[in-house]
Amino acid sequence: METKYSHLSPSFVAEHQIGENHLEVSGKIRALNNSGIGVILDYAVEDEEFIHHKNGSGDHDIMSEKYDSRLSKFLQCIEVSRDSPNNRKFVAVKLTSLGSSSLLQRMTTFANDAHRIFTSCFDKDGKGYMTRDEFANICQDLSISSTDVIEAVKALDPQEMNTIDHIDMSMAAFGIISEPVEYYQLPIIFNTYQCYLRDASERVKRHYRRSQCHGYHFGTKLVRGAYMQGENERAEKNMYTSPIHSSIQDTHNCYKEVIEHLMQHMVSDDNKEGRRVTLEVVCATHNQESIEYVIGAMDKLDLSQSTRDKIYFAQLYGMSDDLTIPLGKAGYSVYKYLPYGEIQEVIPYMLRRAQENGDVLGKSTHEKQLIVDELKTRFNYI
């Protein structure tokens, strides 16, 4: 069948797409596992085209059906990953493929506004949260009755952690009350932080601090970012300062800063007797310098093996094999993203990743030269 992507080279598709459904990826999973490389299953759907599709009054129903179908595929993806032999099993889930991006943008705006209000009006000492007493004192200054204060404190801090932050206040505003939860021995969800954003470092620090206050494990995936064009266009359209770093070097510096901050906390936990490291990091990068920096820091900080095992590296299938394979052979926890799905779903995803990793695509000549050099060595050619 002729599609808008039919003109693309079959070799390009073959190199980056490993199958159209979760059943077709099992062979590739086994091959990578045998090489000491884990997998991150990635149902590669991008939402842009669909959410802009219009179909009159039936538009909402069509979108709901599409999102339900995608949810089913993500659940299948999780089931396949569950059977993987790796100690840590990963599945990439993109919220933008499960709901309206315009709704998610509004939710993000609300969260950012809530944080600004909390910072300016409530967080007097800049530590990122209030104690119950501090909240009560502010309420008393506003002449709020003690009865209302007591009820508000119960709603904002139902688990009696003695910490109240802008997230607690946002949830209470929507009538969402936190229920007691079972805390696991490892992070279940790894949030992605895009280091091309100016506030990435501050957000990582703030969210890690919150995990310590609330007693849960912190999982993070660090990337440089793939949505620069959209972010800049939105900033220009709405007449606000672009949230993106002004130079690629600033982005590199941010990536290093975040890595260093998190690893310092890991070594701090590592050195405390009887304390487990409650932090895990996925360094999703094709940048050789960044990978070497992380490995060097692991050695310099003399992290224990159990803590080293909580630092993961990840690259896309079909890219930077000259980095992934040596990492796996050296015993590091390294993973390949395995994007799958129908061609019309995978290609927009891959084009986005190509935009994000334009410098990596230029490495293909380098990788080919490595292969040629190895062949010359093996056949004693000079």
Side-chain angles (χ1 to χ4, degrees):
M1 181 179 68
E2 189 77 11
T3 72
K4 62 184 291 187
Y5 301 112
S6 298
H7 65 284
L8 289 173
S9 166
S11 61
F12 174 87
V13 176
E15 185 176 0
H16 298 287
Q17 185 222 23
I18 63 169
E20 292 201 352
N21 58 62
H22 64 287
L23 298 176
E24 296 181 6
V25 306
S26 55
K28 182 56 65 178
I29 292 175
R30 286 193 297 271
L32 288 169
N33 289 161
N34 291 338
S35 299
I37 300 170
V39 299
I40 300 176
L41 284 178
D42 191 357
Y43 172 45
V45 58
E46 294 279 0
D47 198 46
E48 294 171 298
E49 292 181 274
F50 183 73
I51 63 172
H52 290 106
H53 170 73
K54 300 295 180 183
N55 192 40
S57 60
D59 205 31
H60 175 75
D61 293 336
I62 293 176
M63 293 173 70
S64 296
E65 291 177 6
K66 192 73 171 181
Y67 295 142
D68 288 343
S69 173
R70 292 172 177 176
L71 174 60
S72 176
K73 292 180 180 179
F74 277 122
L75 294 175
Q76 291 173 347
C77 191
I78 292 172
E79 291 177 359
V80 172
S81 177
R82 180 188 59 195
D83 299 328
S84 168
N86 301 100
N87 291 330
R88 295 295 274 120
K89 310 171 195 300
F90 290 104
V91 169
V93 178
K94 294 172 284 297
L95 292 182
T96 51
S97 64
L98 295 173
S100 165
S101 62
S102 60
L103 173 61
L104 293 174
Q105 288 173 16
R106 290 196 294 272
M107 292 174 65
T108 299
T109 300
F110 175 84
N112 290 337
D113 289 344
H115 177 249
R116 280 193 289 269
I117 293 172
F118 178 83
T119 300
S120 60
C121 300
F122 295 94
D123 187 16
K124 301 297 185 181
D125 54 7
K127 64 177 178 290
Y129 64 90
M130 299 178 290
T131 64
R132 286 183 162 211
D133 288 342
E134 289 170 339
F135 176 75
N137 290 336
I138 292 174
C139 291
Q140 288 174 0
D141 291 341
L142 297 173
S143 300
I144 299 175
S145 71
S146 57
T147 301
D148 289 339
V149 171
I150 291 173
E151 291 302 316
V153 167
K154 288 181 180 179
L156 292 169
D157 185 25
Q159 298 183 50
E160 299 183 358
M161 294 288 186
N162 199 31
T163 62
I164 299 171
D165 62 13
H166 74 286
I167 296 178
D168 297 316
M169 298 182 76
S170 299
M171 292 173 65
F174 282 108
I176 303 172
I177 304 300
S178 298
E179 298 292 337
V181 297
E182 176 183 354
Y183 290 104
Y184 295 90
Q185 300 303 308
L186 46 80
I188 304 300
I189 297 175
F190 285 65
N191 281 324
T192 299
Y193 295 87
Q194 303 190 89
C195 291
Y196 73 164
L197 295 173
R198 297 175 189 269
D199 69 343
S201 179
E202 189 272 333
R203 279 191 298 113
V204 170
K205 295 173 183 177
R206 185 171 76 243
H207 293 173
Y208 173 71
R209 185 171 58 236
R210 187 176 199 274
S211 75
Q212 298 302 289
C213 291
H214 286 257
Y216 58 84
H217 287 247
F218 184 73
T220 176
K221 184 185 76 172
L222 300 178
V223 301
R224 280 174 168 75
Y227 301 91
M228 287 177 284
Q229 181 177 351
E231 293 278 10
N232 284 327
E233 289 176 351
R234 189 177 302 113
E236 183 177 354
K237 177 181 178 181
N238 296 308
M239 293 182 292
Y240 61 81
T241 303
S242 173
I244 296 173
H245 286 298
S246 57
S247 71
I248 185 63
Q249 188 57 51
D250 287 342
T251 299
H252 292 331
N253 294 340
C254 178
Y255 199 94
K256 283 187 176 182
E257 179 186 347
V258 173
I259 285 287
E260 181 177 355
H261 176 79
L262 295 176
M263 291 183 70
Q264 287 291 346
H265 281 288
M266 296 180 88
V267 73
S268 176
D269 289 348
D270 208 20
N271 291 334
K272 292 179 181 177
E273 185 176 353
R275 180 177 174 86
R276 293 177 292 105
V277 175
T278 58
L279 166 64
E280 297 189 16
V281 184
V282 177
C283 301
T285 179
H286 300 88
N287 186 289
Q288 183 172 339
E289 181 181 343
S290 293
I291 293 172
E292 292 174 347
Y293 174 81
V294 173
I295 293 174
M298 292 166 68
D299 293 337
K300 182 179 179 180
L301 295 171
D302 194 26
L303 297 180
S304 66
Q305 187 59 50
S306 61
T307 300
R308 286 170 177 261
D309 290 342
K310 299 180 186 296
I311 300 174
Y312 313 95
F313 299 96
Q315 290 86 42
L316 277 167
Y317 177 72
M319 291 186 183
S320 299
D321 289 347
D322 61 316
L323 299 177
T324 310
I325 295 173
L327 285 170
K329 289 183 177 179
Y332 292 99
S333 300
V334 62
Y335 289 75
K336 276 292 192 187
Y337 269 84
L338 298 188
Y340 71 88
E342 298 179 5
I343 295 296
Q344 61 268 27
E345 295 174 326
V346 175
I347 297 304
Y349 171 92
M350 291 310 305
L351 293 176
R352 175 80 72 187
R353 303 289 80 76
Q355 181 185 41
E356 176 184 9
N357 297 287
D359 58 331
V360 177
L361 296 179
K363 286 177 53 184
S364 59
T365 301
H366 171 66
E367 293 187 37
K368 290 177 182 177
Q369 187 59 48
L370 291 176
I371 295 172
V372 171
D373 291 344
E374 179 64 19
L375 287 173
K376 287 181 178 180
T377 301
R378 294 193 182 195
F379 287 98
N380 295 318
Y381 285 154
I382 300 177

